[in-house]
Amino acid sequence: MDAKSSERPDSANDGWKERAPYSIRNSDENVHCIYEASCHCGKVKYQLSREIPLDSKLCHCATCQTQHAAPFQWAAIFHKEDTNFTHGHHNLEWYDPTEKSVEHKLPCKVRCSYCHSPIMDEGRNMILLFPSLIHFKSTKERENSKPRCHMFYTQRVIDIPDGLPKWTGLNDDSDLVEDSPPELVREHARALEQRKAKEQEEKNRRKQ
């Protein structure tokens, strides 16, 4: 295998182009377009058919800071089928931050191969899109993707006292810190206590 083919192992197998989120659907497939988005140079363009993302977060982890060269990453979660590339899905490159490879192995980061704008983080079932690339036509449209929480906030480089929930790691799977809403902190503490009690009950049952 030569150097060029080793950089793009999927170049000999373009099946990924026919699968969501990369598949291009024709106009006769009645694709419902709510938003349009593109990279900085415009070589990669896509549409979104979901008005409000499944979730929207600000991530402060070191990987996001490094990959985006920014204090944090603003990402919105969508189903893979919510996207429709209208141009340039062949102008993409991948990066696996775990193995530091350019293979299309999930999960991975996706960028435009020309201007290198981040396009998405592709997971096994969902994708993280970056609202900064979406061409919102109004403030109301932008509000639909407004962040709902912070993740990995203890790794932050700047404080953001916005009153949103702030998690030490992944949301709902770590601890709340800083200026998180007090009622949410209490609710999360109760949920943890209930989970621990259930786990202890299960252990006791197994011992009997």
Side-chain angles (χ1 to χ4, degrees):
M1 181 180 291
D2 58 28
K4 185 175 182 180
S5 60
S6 65
E7 292 177 357
R8 294 299 299 272
D10 280 15
S11 59
N13 180 10
D14 291 340
W16 60 271
K17 293 183 180 180
E18 308 302 325
R19 298 190 298 269
Y22 306 105
S23 54
I24 294 180
R25 284 165 281 176
N26 300 321
S27 57
D28 58 358
E29 294 184 69
N30 195 28
V31 177
H32 181 49
C33 173
I34 297 179
Y35 304 124
E36 294 184 337
S38 65
C39 63
H40 185 267
C41 70
K43 289 184 179 294
V44 177
K45 299 178 181 179
Y46 65 87
Q47 300 172 334
L48 282 171
S49 59
R50 180 179 294 273
E51 183 177 12
I52 301 176
L54 302 173
D55 205 351
S56 183
K57 312 172 182 183
L58 297 176
C59 183
H60 299 260
C61 77
T63 297
C64 286
Q65 292 174 13
T66 303
Q67 286 288 298
H68 289 258
F72 50 81
Q73 167 189 279
W74 177 22
I77 301 178
F78 288 86
H79 291 297
K80 293 187 176 184
E81 293 76 11
D82 293 333
T83 63
N84 179 41
F85 278 86
T86 57
H87 189 267
H89 74 328
H90 54 283
N91 288 323
L92 296 170
E93 62 183 15
W94 299 289
Y95 178 67
D96 176 359
T98 301
E99 298 184 1
K100 297 184 179 179
S101 72
V102 293
E103 295 183 23
H104 185 212
K105 295 172 59 179
L106 302 182
C108 67
K109 294 183 176 292
V110 185
R111 294 177 178 267
C112 169
S113 61
Y114 188 79
C115 68
H116 303 293
S117 296
I119 302 298
M120 71 178 81
D121 285 3
E122 182 186 2
R124 294 177 177 83
N125 302 307
M126 303 288 183
I127 52 176
L128 296 179
L129 296 177
F130 309 117
S132 301
L133 274 64
I134 301 174
H135 308 312
F136 296 113
K137 298 178 181 178
S138 66
T139 302
K140 183 179 181 301
E141 288 188 349
R142 181 178 289 274
E143 285 291 316
N144 288 334
S145 295
K146 182 179 179 181
R148 304 172 193 172
C149 71
H150 295 261
M151 298 191 304
F152 297 96
Y153 193 68
T154 51
Q155 298 181 34
R156 69 191 182 280
V157 295
I158 57 174
D159 293 336
I160 306 179
D162 55 7
L164 291 177
K166 295 176 173 64
W167 301 89
T168 58
L170 295 173
N171 58 303
D172 299 323
D173 197 31
S174 58
D175 296 322
L176 286 163
V177 296
E178 302 300 325
D179 66 336
S180 297
E183 65 277 7
L184 184 59
V185 174
R186 290 192 292 269
E187 180 182 340
H188 183 59
R190 286 195 296 269
L192 287 178
E193 290 178 0
Q194 292 174 356
R195 185 188 306 173
K196 290 180 180 178
K198 188 175 182 179
E199 291 175 352
Q200 185 60 46
E201 183 180 341
E202 183 65 25
K203 288 181 180 178
N204 294 338
R205 185 182 298 112
R206 292 175 179 176
K207 290 180 180 180
Q208 293 177 354

